Amino acid sequence: MKLKAAEKLLIRSPLRAYMLRRLEAPRVLSGLDVGERSVCLDIGCGSGMSTLLINEHLNCGKVLGIDIDPEMVTAAEEYVSHPPRWARNIRTDNIEFLCADATSSPFPDSHFDAIFLFGALHHIKEWKNVISEVYRALKEGGVFSFVEEPLVPDHLSRFGQSAYELVLIGAVPISEKELKAALEKGEFSIQHSERFWSVCFVRATKEGGNRHP
Ligand SMILES: C[S@@+](CC[C@H](N)C(=O)[O-])C[C@H]1O[C@@H](n2cnc3c(N)ncnc32)[C@H](O)[C@@H]1O
């Protein structure tokens, strides 16, 4: 789903920059063994800030940011070619953006060493297809590290999906339990999962085999 105008403002705001830089990027990107020849993907790149932060934390060969909204792809290209002052020393020559749908991405099988996602899943109704696509496009042993919000608490599931959709103003309700089940139904092995208020950080690796979520 494309973002509404207010959401587009929010993801370009100083508050979003603060959240991404101080809370999310350090947890999603720290301690990863991603080498200088690696190819990495940022799903739902939005403003391009999360894509740039991948380069701040990791020494990747290439970083690709995709977004379904052509307006966001243009904004991300502009952001990276004129980064804010705090980001001026971050490498940008290996970053590319592409307009693509994460539920049916154009990438070959086993293409990426690492795939990242910063809060895009709850904007995608077919979010389980994204997990299948991530699995398909990751190399064996590759890592899928992401942060997702807002997750519906498992103990509230008795109130039904429509109640959440109302409360979450159009966001797709995903519970932590559902998320882990979708990852485990495939061959993902969950290495780490951490809850911080309503935000959930997950790191999973692609194990061998043919099953998909
Ligand atoms: C909440 S924003 C997150 C942006 C950025 N990652 C950040 O952390 O600020 C979610 C982004 O996902 C994009 N998106 C929604 N559905 C998508 C899909 N099916 N495929 C790719 N991107 C999608 C939206 O256009 C939006 O830019």
Side-chain angles (χ1 to χ4, degrees):
M1 287 186 281
K2 289 183 185 173
L3 300 185
K4 298 184 181 83
E7 291 173 309
K8 286 185 182 178
L9 281 180
L10 188 67
I11 64 163
R12 291 159 158 163
S13 68
L15 176 66
R16 181 69 193 134
Y18 183 85
M19 293 280 288
L20 265 174
R21 292 181 62 201
R22 302 283 169 231
L23 174 72
E24 299 184 10
R27 284 174 171 79
V28 171
L29 301 168
S30 66
L32 284 174
D33 185 18
V34 172
E36 59 188 25
R37 295 162 75 95
S38 61
V39 185
C40 300
L41 177 68
D42 180 22
I43 292 179
C45 61
S47 67
M49 202 187 299
S50 52
T51 321
L52 199 55
L53 284 166
I54 292 171
N55 257 0
E56 184 179 42
H57 286 260
L58 301 171
N59 187 19
C60 309
K62 187 173 174 185
V63 187
L64 184 63
I66 62 164
D67 203 287
I68 200 167
D69 186 344
E71 198 188 306
M72 293 320 300
V73 173
T74 306
E77 285 167 344
E78 175 66 19
Y79 184 80
V80 163
S81 51
H82 300 95
R85 195 169 335 151
W86 63 263
R88 294 218 175 116
N89 292 329
I90 302 176
R91 184 179 174 195
T92 57
D93 64 315
N94 62 342
I95 297 179
E96 266 178 46
F97 294 101
L98 183 74
C99 190
D101 183 349
T103 63
S104 55
S105 60
F107 310 113
D109 293 353
S110 307
H111 185 66
F112 294 101
D113 297 274
I115 299 185
F116 306 106
L117 179 150
F118 293 84
L121 223 48
H122 67 276
H123 291 278
I124 306 175
K125 254 202 160 77
E126 307 80 16
W127 63 271
K128 288 183 184 167
N129 292 354
V130 176
I131 291 182
S132 296
E133 277 296 283
V134 169
Y135 186 88
R136 185 189 64 72
L138 259 185
K139 290 179 184 168
E140 207 163 301
V143 66
F144 179 33
S145 184
F146 65 95
V147 51
E148 198 40 61
E149 60 201 290
L151 289 170
V152 175
D154 293 325
H155 66 275
L156 289 183
S157 54
R158 63 197 157 96
F159 291 112
Q161 178 141 333
S162 49
Y164 299 132
E165 275 167 343
L166 200 67
V167 172
L168 300 174
I169 325 167
V172 180
I174 306 172
S175 75
E176 191 174 350
K177 205 167 156 186
E178 274 183 301
L179 189 57
K180 285 184 180 165
L183 287 165
E184 280 167 349
K185 194 172 162 215
E187 293 285 330
F188 276 110
S189 160
I190 298 175
Q191 306 294 315
H192 179 77
S193 163
E194 178 191 358
R195 193 79 189 237
F196 190 89
W197 293 89
S198 68
V199 184
C200 187
F201 296 90
V202 180
R203 192 170 286 187
T205 51
K206 174 175 174 173
E207 304 294 315
N210 298 319
R211 280 190 304 137
H212 285 227

